[in-house]
Amino acid sequence: MPAPATSTAQAPANSRSRVLVASLIGTTIEFYDFYIYATAAVLVFPSLFFPDSDPTTALLSSFAVFGAAMVARPIGAVVFGHLGDRLGRKGTLVASLLTMGIATFLIGILPTYEQAGWIATALLVVMRLAQGFALGGEWSGAALVATENAPRNKRALYGTFPQLGAPLGFIIGNGLFLVIGALLPSSTGADPSQPSEAFLTWGWRIPFLFSAVMVAIGLWVRMRLVEAPVFSRTREAGLVRKLPLATVFRSHGKQLVLGTFFMLATYVLFYLMTTFSLSYGRTAEDAAVPGLGYSYTTFVLMMIFGVLFFAAFTLVSGPLADKYGRRSTLIWVTSAILVFGLVWVPLIGMGTLGVVLWLVLGFTLMGMTFGPMGALLPELFPTSVRYTGSGISYNVSSILGAAVAPFIAVALWEAGDGSPWLVGVYLSSMALLTLVALIVGKETKDVALDEGETPAGAGTTADRDGSPASTVAP
């Protein structure tokens, strides 16, 4: 007999291509926006917005503003998570992308310290906080679009597509900076790692302004989405929560803590390989705190080569996590990250070949650890609080890992008199914390995304842990 007709059954479904493109394009744009800021934070912002400080202090101040966005991310996760769990994923994703795009575009037209004094620096901080606020709601929404529309045995594979936005955003953002730098070369010629006057005056603004084009494309793709059936069923069953945040803290505190520490090593590795490495790689060997002494162009090309491995192994990690489980896969990868942190100095000491190998290994491990997170964190929470729960875990980890990682790394780099061995030990320590969390946690591969939620028409509604659910009209 045919199944009874319901509004959920009659709702149009998202095609596989639409799901994958929508989850990929948004995170690509979001990470592009973040990467161009990270590049500018190293390359031009110290001199444009902190000119009265010595070079190291200016760099640390620039990194502090960079890290300030991470503080705003959990706030964005709460606000966008509340909207996503109550009203739906589609509209919330559109709002987060639009917020990010506007903030990034406005950075491109900001006055510098020379033009507006401290007001310019304050505006930069405000725009950076807006970026962090937006990204706080972007990732979890994109991950949910992918996993909630995926076949059960391919959730990790689908979940790698929003993760793939990170390497793609890096390549596009840094590639654009390279092109602009080549068109506006340094006039001195003595130090090609230093930007030219034209680059400092207006060239750095182009990537920020270009984000408007990318956002328009992303909005067009996301406006064509429809809600995933799993969320539609939750809404029709009256399981939408009045206060998803309260439910998450009351009933899913353990999952929040575990999810936060699951991501810790990933975040630290992520920002050491993309932000700290750029500072370390292009700092002169005879500087007060010596670095590797590569030109900006040379080192970024080396990084882009490494990021290709990041992209490839992000996709490789999905089928592995679907076959062997998220927890088992990540235990092995995190153990490898721990070892990787302890061999930084021997690798870098091998010269250019060793530096390239260091970048390739770091970015390969980054893909292997980042890819499964697109499925793992959403699987920790039931549908009614999934946007909020996964978003908070992901973004609180950004404070513990990404917000402080570049700052700590520079301090440890100085403490090591130019050697990054302490930075590698720091990475290994964070990997150890993640490894403990993975050992304590449970496998989620076979969890049903609406497990424990009573279908529409049942007499009692309950959450995954048995706590009562409030009923909210759609």
Side-chain angles (χ1 to χ4, degrees):
M1 295 180 62
T6 65
S7 59
T8 300
Q10 294 172 347
N14 294 303
S15 66
R16 179 174 61 180
S17 59
R18 184 182 300 175
V19 167
L20 297 181
V21 171
S23 61
L24 171 63
I25 194 167
T27 53
T28 299
I29 294 168
E30 301 282 1
F31 279 107
Y32 164 86
D33 290 347
F34 254 55
Y35 282 133
I36 60 175
Y37 185 96
T39 300
V42 172
L43 200 60
V44 297
F45 285 172
S47 60
L48 293 181
F49 292 94
F50 308 98
D52 294 337
S53 304
D54 64 82
T56 299
T57 302
L59 179 62
L60 288 172
S61 298
S62 185
F63 277 158
V65 177
F66 179 81
M70 307 303 172
V71 179
R73 285 174 64 162
I75 301 173
V78 170
V79 173
F80 287 112
H82 179 86
L83 296 174
D85 282 329
R86 280 187 57 109
L87 305 179
R89 296 16 175 161
K90 174 184 173 180
T92 306
L93 276 172
V94 168
S96 68
L97 182 60
L98 191 59
T99 302
M100 185 70 164
I102 291 173
T104 304
F105 181 84
L106 290 177
I107 290 176
I109 60 174
L110 284 182
T112 64
Y113 186 90
E114 183 180 356
Q115 296 166 328
W118 66 268
I119 294 177
T121 305
L123 289 173
L124 179 66
V125 173
V126 171
M127 293 302 103
R128 184 62 181 158
L129 289 172
Q131 281 189 316
F133 179 79
L135 189 55
E138 165 61 31
W139 177 86
S140 49
L144 265 56
V145 165
T147 56
E148 289 185 343
N149 286 281
R152 184 165 174 168
N153 64 341
K154 292 184 178 180
R155 283 203 302 255
L157 174 60
Y158 275 55
T160 61
F161 277 81
Q163 312 301 74
L164 194 59
L168 291 181
F170 181 94
I171 292 170
I172 296 171
N174 282 279
L176 185 54
F177 264 112
L178 280 179
V179 171
I180 296 169
L183 295 175
L184 303 173
S186 176
S187 58
T188 64
D191 187 0
S193 70
Q194 298 303 314
S196 66
E197 189 63 31
F199 190 98
L200 284 170
T201 303
W202 57 269
W204 68 270
R205 300 179 184 274
I206 296 173
F208 291 91
L209 301 178
F210 178 71
S211 68
V213 177
M214 298 182 66
V215 168
I217 297 172
L219 289 174
W220 177 77
V221 172
R222 286 191 167 174
M223 289 297 291
R224 302 178 66 200
L225 284 173
V226 296
E227 292 294 351
V230 65
F231 179 77
S232 298
R233 288 194 296 269
T234 297
R235 182 163 53 188
E236 291 175 2
L239 292 172
V240 174
R241 305 293 172 139
K242 291 182 179 179
L243 293 173
L245 179 64
T247 301
V248 164
F249 278 102
R250 182 180 65 248
S251 305
H252 304 284
K254 180 180 178 181
Q255 289 92 327
L256 282 176
V257 173
L258 286 174
T260 298
F261 281 93
F262 288 165
M263 277 295 304
L264 185 60
T266 303
Y267 260 125
V268 174
L269 177 63
F270 186 48
Y271 283 89
L272 289 183
M273 297 309 300
T274 57
T275 304
F276 167 76
S277 65
L278 182 58
S279 295
Y280 177 63
R282 60 184 290 272
T283 298
E285 294 178 286
D286 58 354
V289 181
L292 295 176
Y294 290 96
S295 71
Y296 169 74
T297 299
T298 299
F299 196 76
V300 170
L301 287 172
M302 292 163 66
M303 290 178 70
I304 289 176
F305 179 71
V307 170
L308 295 176
F309 289 83
F310 180 5
F313 281 89
T314 295
L315 291 176
V316 167
S317 70
L320 290 176
D322 277 326
K323 182 176 181 179
Y324 299 108
R326 292 72 161 122
R327 179 173 172 269
S328 299
T329 301
L330 287 169
I331 283 175
W332 283 104
V333 175
T334 306
S335 298
I337 294 172
L338 192 156
V339 174
F340 173 68
L342 300 178
V343 299
W344 275 30
V345 172
L347 284 173
I348 293 170
M350 294 167 57
T352 297
L353 178 61
V355 173
V356 172
L357 184 58
W358 171 59
L359 291 170
V360 168
L361 287 175
F363 281 118
T364 295
L365 291 171
M366 186 61 226
M368 290 296 294
T369 185
F370 194 48
M373 295 297 174
L376 174 59
L377 295 188
E379 288 169 347
L380 292 175
F381 304 93
T383 305
S384 58
V385 295
R386 185 170 296 130
Y387 205 129
T388 301
S390 60
I392 290 175
S393 293
Y394 183 84
N395 290 291
V396 168
S397 190
S398 76
I399 296 178
L400 300 179
V404 298
F407 196 86
I408 291 175
V410 171
L412 293 175
W413 177 24
E414 283 189 299
D417 295 325
S419 170
W421 74 273
L422 286 173
V423 183
V425 171
Y426 166 57
L427 172 61
S428 296
S429 301
M430 297 302 101
L432 181 60
L433 292 176
T434 292
L435 192 58
V436 171
L438 289 167
I439 292 171
V440 171
K442 297 180 180 179
E443 180 56 59
T444 62
K445 178 170 75 79
D446 297 320
V447 169
L449 289 188
D450 50 1
E451 179 183 355
E453 294 182 340
T454 308
T460 304
T461 59
D463 209 336
R464 181 174 296 180
D465 64 351
S467 61
S470 61
T471 56
V472 179

